[in-house]
Amino acid sequence: MSDTRHTKVLIIGSGPAGYTAGVYASRAMLEPILVQGIEPGGQLTTTTEVENYPGFTEVQGPDLMVKMQEHAQAMGCEIIGDIISDLDVSKRPFTAKGDSGTTYTADAVILATGARAKWLGLESEEKFKGFGVSACATCDGFFYRGQEIVVVGGGNTAVEEALFLTNFASKVTLIHRRDELRAERILINRLEKNEKIETLWFNTLEEVTGTDTPLGVEGVVTKNVKTGELTEIPCKGVFIAIGHAPANELVKDTLETHMGGYVVTKPGSTETSVPGVFAAGDLTDHTYRQAVTSAGMGCMAALDAERFLAEQDD
Ligand code: FAD
Ligand code: NAP
């Protein structure tokens, strides 16, 4: 059954940016509707300990996101489990279509669709996705108890995933294309102290190898970027942790984007190239990409939306 819901402010996304926008827009009496998308709680639901969100020395990512959801709800934000499949920002009120069949119309929209894991784009990676190849250690690490695993990447995610996977794996090989990690020093220190982790520098993943029946990973082939030398590493799990790309599908043809698809916002603001459409969090941010900065931008977006709507009423 299809129905139409109108709201002053439609918030798309339920990560730190979306929920914080929900708190602020509710307290501004804008009665926002927040649509959660396919990943309620966003990226932090795919990790374990978060140690850098102010007020929490340590908190589990999924728990933090439940608290944020409860906070937004307590302030009056209506939270809906739906996925927006189409967004028309060519005229006001803006129109968003939900997979549920509901059409949402809104006087202002806050985009907080975040980012998604990047893949290498190898045929063999695609073949074994879900059968030994993963981009989420917290989701899939448990399947590799006592097994050997490789992790690809050199950022915070790769190092955290490698560390986390030592809880299950007999050995973790971190494969990085350079000889320098871009992860934070505290994580690198932990990595260096962990005897289960070996690091393979200057190597890229060339191929995932395995069996067809049953479909499963048996190893990887890596290539030394300096010498071209190929190395075979036996393993049962391959975790790709090479960063994230902005989830801009709804607006990539209608809003101005830059730097590989990040939505452009005016400096010091969350205003996009379309008046009344605001963007916050990892969708707009190619620099910081943190939970706390996303939450901060969610706050800004709600305040910007409130100001925009007040100006329309004048
Ligand atoms: P996201 O968290 O990416 O959430 C996006 C939301 O948009 C999701 O709810 C999704 O369902 C929704 N969405 C997308 N498309 C649609 C659609 N079409 N319709 C409706 N909804 C949609 N940061 C830290 O500060 N500390 C950490 O310790 C930390 N650890 C991390 C560990 C991992 C493994 C990863 C991947 C990231 C980590 N980060 C950490 C980064 C942090 O998670 C992100 O910066 C933050 O989550 C971005 O928040 P966001 O609100 O912009 O979007
Ligand atoms: P990232 O910082 O962009 O790092 C991506 C890593 O993958 C880089 O080391 C990069 O190599 C490598 N890489 C990229 N493309 C590759 C390819 N095609 N082949 C091989 N290697 C490739 O991404 P991230 O680690 O996912 O982090 C994303 C954001 O989330 C960051 O802002 C990070 O701080 C944040 N985050 C924070 C925490 C935390 O605070 N504890 C935890 C996780 C994530 P190069 O180094 O050579 O470019």
Side-chain angles (χ1 to χ4, degrees), residues 116-137:
R116 288 204 193 97
K118 280 194 210 162
W119 296 93
L120 290 165
L122 301 172
E123 221 171 89
S124 55
E125 172 194 58
E126 191 58 35
K127 173 174 170 181
F128 291 107
K129 249 185 220 173
F131 296 90
V133 173
S134 168
C136 178

Side-chain angles (χ1 to χ4, degrees), residues 106-294:
D107 301 324
V109 169
I110 294 176
L111 295 163
T113 50
R116 288 204 193 97
K118 280 194 210 162
W119 296 93
L120 290 165
L122 301 172
E123 221 171 89
S124 55
E125 172 194 58
E126 191 58 35
K127 173 174 170 181
F128 291 107
K129 249 185 220 173
F131 296 90
V133 173
S134 168
C136 178
T138 36
C139 318
D140 300 328
F142 187 72
F143 299 123
Y144 302 98
R145 274 165 296 165
Q147 314 272 17
E148 297 192 11
I149 290 176
V150 302
V151 175
V152 182
N156 275 336
T157 301
V159 174
E160 277 193 346
E161 299 226 327
L163 288 164
F164 176 72
L165 288 166
T166 60
N167 292 323
F168 313 100
S170 55
K171 180 182 173 189
V172 176
T173 305
L174 181 69
I175 301 166
H176 185 35
R177 62 185 178 185
R178 298 189 289 138
D179 67 344
E180 200 184 334
L181 298 166
R182 62 170 73 226
E184 287 167 23
R185 190 67 239 173
I186 190 170
L187 294 174
I188 297 174
N189 288 348
R190 286 178 199 161
L191 182 93
E192 288 169 350
K193 280 192 203 133
N194 196 310
E195 288 176 356
K196 277 192 181 176
I197 303 178
E198 192 175 301
T199 314
L200 187 61
W201 301 118
F202 292 121
N203 268 258
T204 53
L205 187 66
E206 286 296 290
E207 195 186 351
V208 183
T209 56
T211 53
D212 283 345
T213 40
L215 198 56
V217 169
E218 293 294 334
V220 294
V221 180
T222 69
K223 185 178 180 182
N224 186 302
V225 295
K226 290 184 169 265
T227 63
E229 186 191 348
L230 298 178
T231 305
E232 286 181 38
I233 305 172
C235 64
K236 294 287 185 190
V238 179
F239 288 81
I240 309 294
I242 59 165
H244 289 76
N248 66 6
E249 295 79 3
L250 292 174
V251 292
K252 64 181 187 320
D253 299 325
T254 49
L255 296 185
E256 195 185 328
T257 61
H258 67 165
M259 314 274 297
Y262 289 90
V263 170
V264 173
T265 51
K266 283 193 190 146
S269 154
T270 60
E271 286 172 45
T272 68
S273 51
V274 172
V277 179
F278 304 89
D282 279 13
L283 175 66
T284 73
D285 175 18
H286 51 85
T287 311
Y288 304 106
R289 295 176 297 169
Q290 302 295 304
V292 66
T293 46
S294 298

Side-chain angles (χ1 to χ4, degrees), residues 13-17 36-37 39 43 52 84 112-115 281-282 289-291 294:
S14 57
Q36 287 180 306
E39 190 175 53
Q43 291 172 65
N52 51 14
I84 301 299
T113 50
D282 279 13
R289 295 176 297 169
Q290 302 295 304
S294 298

Side-chain angles (χ1 to χ4, degrees), residues 25-43:
S26 301
R27 284 173 50 82
M29 311 307 275
L30 296 174
E31 299 169 346
I33 288 179
L34 183 153
V35 178
Q36 287 180 306
I38 201 163
E39 190 175 53
Q43 291 172 65

